[in-house]
Amino acid sequence: MPTSYDVPEVLDRREGPHGEIVLRRHGELLQIIANGCFLMDTSDGRSERLLVDAALDALDGRPAPHLLIGGLGVGFSLAHAAADPRPGRIAVVERESAIIGWHLDGPLADFSARAVADPRTEILETDLVRYVHETSDTYDALCLDIDNGPGWTVTEGNESLYSPDGLAACTRVLRPGGVLAVWSAQPSPEFEETLRNAGFQQVRTEEIPVARGVPDVVHLAVRPG
């Protein structure tokens, strides 16, 4: 683990359509920084695993469900989904070509190479907000982890995903009885109410304990059908 005197080492820094994206090493950890905002690192992965497990468990044994993961990140969600025999398809939407490259032939391949090679896996280089509005594909579960939460987005354009219009697009992409799972760095009763107002059922929040501070959470909701 990093110590107080460790200085992060920048492994790659790129300017993309959404600003600066950086991969750096801090002690034994790899970290992704977007526009100066810490996104995630390789320290744990409990939150990402719960995101996938909670969504799949809520499907109550639906055979070969199609899973959409919003955000490739450091690969924990994809790796965990690919290690599970239940999904029939695992699509991952990632808008940053740099992050995809770090997984295909860069330092993050150590965490995701087997999952990326899984025949069920498809990585889609596109913006998630645009994708849920435009795709004709449908899914049994949407696992969204592109921000630090509904009220703490990485870019302003992501805010619309958590609005009534964005949730309507998620509903359109979900199959009847499908599950929406949204990771957040803190609970949001307001977002729970927005989910209910958007027509979702069985809205609930699962907590992931952290060493200090407010627990991370996963917001869960089911499309009627």
Side-chain angles (χ1 to χ4, degrees):
M1 297 294 293
T3 60
S4 59
Y5 52 81
D6 285 326
V7 177
E9 173 193 3
V10 173
L11 302 180
D12 196 5
R13 185 193 307 271
R14 303 191 199 181
E15 286 291 333
H18 305 285
E20 182 186 70
I21 186 80
V22 175
L23 178 68
R24 68 186 189 188
R25 188 183 304 277
H26 190 189
E28 297 179 355
L29 304 181
L30 295 175
Q31 303 171 329
I32 296 178
I33 314 294
N35 295 317
C37 178
F38 174 86
L39 289 186
M40 59 191 65
D41 63 25
T42 55
S43 63
D44 193 344
R46 281 181 297 171
S47 297
E48 292 87 346
R49 290 191 289 271
L50 176 60
L51 181 70
V52 171
D53 285 341
L56 290 174
D57 291 347
L59 289 171
D60 294 328
R62 183 177 301 197
H66 286 199
L67 179 66
L68 174 65
I69 298 174
L72 180 54
V74 297
F76 283 140
S77 296
L78 171 58
H80 193 64
D84 194 309
R86 289 176 289 179
R89 179 193 179 198
I90 306 168
V92 185
V93 171
E94 174 56 60
R95 70 182 187 180
E96 296 289 351
S97 61
I99 292 179
I100 295 174
W102 296 334
H103 282 278
L104 295 180
D105 56 11
L108 291 175
D110 291 342
F111 298 90
S112 62
R114 182 176 297 180
V116 169
D118 192 300
R120 299 171 296 168
T121 296
E122 180 181 11
I123 297 178
L124 308 171
E125 185 180 340
T126 186
D127 182 84
L128 178 66
V129 178
R130 182 184 307 116
Y131 182 77
V132 295
H133 279 89
E134 297 179 355
T135 185
S136 59
D137 290 347
T138 58
Y139 297 87
D140 299 288
L142 274 59
C143 299
L144 306 186
D145 185 11
I146 64 170
D147 295 300
N148 287 323
W152 188 2
T153 59
V154 175
T155 55
E156 290 185 5
N158 288 355
E159 293 175 357
S160 65
L161 183 65
Y162 311 102
S163 70
D165 181 64
L167 293 177
C170 291
T171 300
R172 186 185 69 83
V173 172
L174 277 172
R175 295 170 180 173
V179 176
L180 175 65
V182 180
W183 185 90
S184 179
Q186 59 186 11
S188 175
E190 296 82 6
F191 183 57
E192 287 188 358
E193 188 64 21
T194 303
L195 287 166
R196 293 187 180 95
N197 291 338
F200 283 94
Q201 299 178 346
Q202 301 177 44
V203 176
R204 68 185 191 277
T205 299
E206 294 195 11
E207 294 187 350
I208 308 103
V210 296
R212 294 184 299 274
V214 178
D216 297 336
V217 302
V218 173
H219 294 289
L220 291 160
V222 176
R223 176 190 168 175

